[in-house]
mmCIF file of all heavy atoms in Angstrom:
data_model
loop_
_atom_site.group_PDB
_atom_site.id
_atom_site.type_symbol
_atom_site.label_atom_id
_atom_site.label_comp_id
_atom_site.label_asym_id
_atom_site.label_seq_id
_atom_site.Cartn_x
_atom_site.Cartn_y
_atom_site.Cartn_z
ATOM 1 N N GLY A 411 -8.106 44.296 5.156
ATOM 2 C CA GLY A 411 -7.519 44.796 6.531
ATOM 3 C C GLY A 411 -7.220 46.128 6.633
ATOM 4 O O GLY A 411 -7.645 47.091 5.734
ATOM 5 N N GLY A 412 -6.372 46.579 7.533
ATOM 6 C CA GLY A 412 -6.068 47.975 7.774
ATOM 7 C C GLY A 412 -7.087 48.526 8.610
ATOM 8 O O GLY A 412 -8.087 47.853 8.999
ATOM 9 N N THR A 413 -7.010 49.732 9.089
ATOM 10 C CA THR A 413 -7.864 50.358 10.102
ATOM 11 C C THR A 413 -9.288 50.550 9.631
ATOM 12 O O THR A 413 -10.223 50.704 10.343
ATOM 13 C CB THR A 413 -7.282 51.664 10.588
ATOM 14 O OG1 THR A 413 -7.046 52.502 9.518
ATOM 15 C CG2 THR A 413 -5.979 51.519 11.400
ATOM 16 N N ALA A 414 -9.513 50.614 8.269
ATOM 17 C CA ALA A 414 -10.786 50.803 7.614
ATOM 18 C C ALA A 414 -11.123 49.691 6.704
ATOM 19 O O ALA A 414 -12.209 49.872 6.030
ATOM 20 C CB ALA A 414 -10.759 52.280 6.961
ATOM 21 N N GLY A 415 -10.372 48.738 6.666
ATOM 22 C CA GLY A 415 -10.730 47.488 5.905
ATOM 23 C C GLY A 415 -10.471 47.670 4.274
ATOM 24 O O GLY A 415 -10.662 46.682 3.603
ATOM 25 N N GLY A 416 -9.801 48.754 3.988
ATOM 26 C CA GLY A 416 -9.487 48.944 2.517
ATOM 27 C C GLY A 416 -8.175 48.339 2.043
ATOM 28 O O GLY A 416 -7.813 48.548 0.944
ATOM 29 N N GLY A 417 -7.426 47.870 3.002
ATOM 30 C CA GLY A 417 -5.974 47.394 2.639
ATOM 31 C C GLY A 417 -4.940 48.301 3.121
ATOM 32 O O GLY A 417 -5.283 49.368 3.603
ATOM 33 N N VAL A 418 -3.780 47.932 2.806
ATOM 34 C CA VAL A 418 -2.547 48.719 3.450
ATOM 35 C C VAL A 418 -1.502 48.722 2.261
ATOM 36 O O VAL A 418 -1.420 47.851 1.621
ATOM 37 C CB VAL A 418 -2.038 48.237 4.820
ATOM 38 C CG1 VAL A 418 -3.190 48.277 5.809
ATOM 39 C CG2 VAL A 418 -1.364 46.920 4.623
ATOM 40 N N VAL A 419 -0.513 49.648 2.588
ATOM 41 C CA VAL A 419 0.791 49.622 1.952
ATOM 42 C C VAL A 419 1.696 49.351 3.118
ATOM 43 O O VAL A 419 1.505 50.005 4.207
ATOM 44 C CB VAL A 419 1.073 50.971 1.420
ATOM 45 C CG1 VAL A 419 2.631 50.812 0.755
ATOM 46 C CG2 VAL A 419 0.280 51.330 0.189
ATOM 47 N N TYR A 420 2.496 48.313 3.097
ATOM 48 C CA TYR A 420 3.287 47.933 4.221
ATOM 49 C C TYR A 420 4.748 47.776 3.832
ATOM 50 O O TYR A 420 5.182 47.697 2.671
ATOM 51 C CB TYR A 420 2.976 46.533 4.802
ATOM 52 C CG TYR A 420 2.955 45.375 3.750
ATOM 53 C CD1 TYR A 420 4.175 44.636 3.718
ATOM 54 C CD2 TYR A 420 2.059 45.086 2.819
ATOM 55 C CE1 TYR A 420 4.376 43.574 2.874
ATOM 56 C CE2 TYR A 420 2.264 44.042 2.016
ATOM 57 C CZ TYR A 420 3.366 43.355 1.961
ATOM 58 O OH TYR A 420 3.490 42.330 1.060
ATOM 59 N N LYS A 421 5.699 47.766 4.881
ATOM 60 C CA LYS A 421 7.082 47.591 4.820
ATOM 61 C C LYS A 421 7.399 46.524 5.831
ATOM 62 O O LYS A 421 6.940 46.459 6.948
ATOM 63 C CB LYS A 421 7.869 48.775 5.187
ATOM 64 C CG LYS A 421 9.345 48.603 5.457
ATOM 65 C CD LYS A 421 10.003 49.892 5.979
ATOM 66 C CE LYS A 421 11.421 49.678 6.303
ATOM 67 N NZ LYS A 421 11.926 50.920 6.856
ATOM 68 N N LEU A 422 8.177 45.497 5.385
ATOM 69 C CA LEU A 422 8.577 44.374 6.233
ATOM 70 C C LEU A 422 10.054 44.348 6.309
ATOM 71 O O LEU A 422 10.731 44.339 5.287
ATOM 72 C CB LEU A 422 8.098 43.079 5.519
ATOM 73 C CG LEU A 422 8.276 41.792 6.381
ATOM 74 C CD1 LEU A 422 7.492 41.746 7.601
ATOM 75 C CD2 LEU A 422 7.902 40.571 5.534
ATOM 76 N N ASP A 423 10.634 44.488 7.580
ATOM 77 C CA ASP A 423 12.058 44.699 7.586
ATOM 78 C C ASP A 423 12.712 43.418 7.633
ATOM 79 O O ASP A 423 12.037 42.350 7.673
ATOM 80 C CB ASP A 423 12.396 45.586 8.864
ATOM 81 C CG ASP A 423 12.109 44.967 10.082
ATOM 82 O OD1 ASP A 423 11.931 43.772 10.283
ATOM 83 O OD2 ASP A 423 12.118 45.697 11.271
ATOM 84 N N THR A 424 13.988 43.310 7.691
ATOM 85 C CA THR A 424 14.705 42.086 7.621
ATOM 86 C C THR A 424 14.519 41.181 8.963
ATOM 87 O O THR A 424 14.844 39.984 8.807
ATOM 88 C CB THR A 424 16.308 42.367 7.456
ATOM 89 O OG1 THR A 424 16.812 43.168 8.472
ATOM 90 C CG2 THR A 424 16.537 43.130 6.074
ATOM 91 N N ALA A 425 14.033 41.761 9.855
ATOM 92 C CA ALA A 425 13.799 41.022 11.142
ATOM 93 C C ALA A 425 12.300 40.406 11.202
ATOM 94 O O ALA A 425 11.845 39.752 12.070
ATOM 95 C CB ALA A 425 14.016 41.794 12.412
ATOM 96 N N GLY A 426 11.505 40.765 10.036
ATOM 97 C CA GLY A 426 10.101 40.230 9.985
ATOM 98 C C GLY A 426 9.176 41.206 10.690
ATOM 99 O O GLY A 426 7.964 40.696 10.893
ATOM 100 N N LEU A 427 9.462 42.359 11.072
ATOM 101 C CA LEU A 427 8.695 43.275 11.663
ATOM 102 C C LEU A 427 7.931 44.168 10.501
ATOM 103 O O LEU A 427 8.559 44.818 9.668
ATOM 104 C CB LEU A 427 9.423 44.249 12.568
ATOM 105 C CG LEU A 427 8.646 45.441 13.195
ATOM 106 C CD1 LEU A 427 7.652 44.864 14.159
ATOM 107 C CD2 LEU A 427 9.487 46.462 13.989
ATOM 108 N N GLU A 428 6.636 44.119 10.643
ATOM 109 C CA GLU A 428 5.775 44.911 9.627
ATOM 110 C C GLU A 428 5.482 46.135 10.149
ATOM 111 O O GLU A 428 5.111 46.487 11.251
ATOM 112 C CB GLU A 428 4.566 44.162 9.245
ATOM 113 C CG GLU A 428 3.693 44.676 8.186
ATOM 114 C CD GLU A 428 2.252 44.871 8.322
ATOM 115 O OE1 GLU A 428 1.856 44.877 9.435
ATOM 116 O OE2 GLU A 428 1.557 44.874 7.332
#
Side-chain angles (χ1 to χ4, degrees):
T413 54
V418 302
V419 178
Y420 65 89
K421 172 185 173 182
L422 187 63
D423 71 15
T424 57
L427 177 65
E428 188 221 28

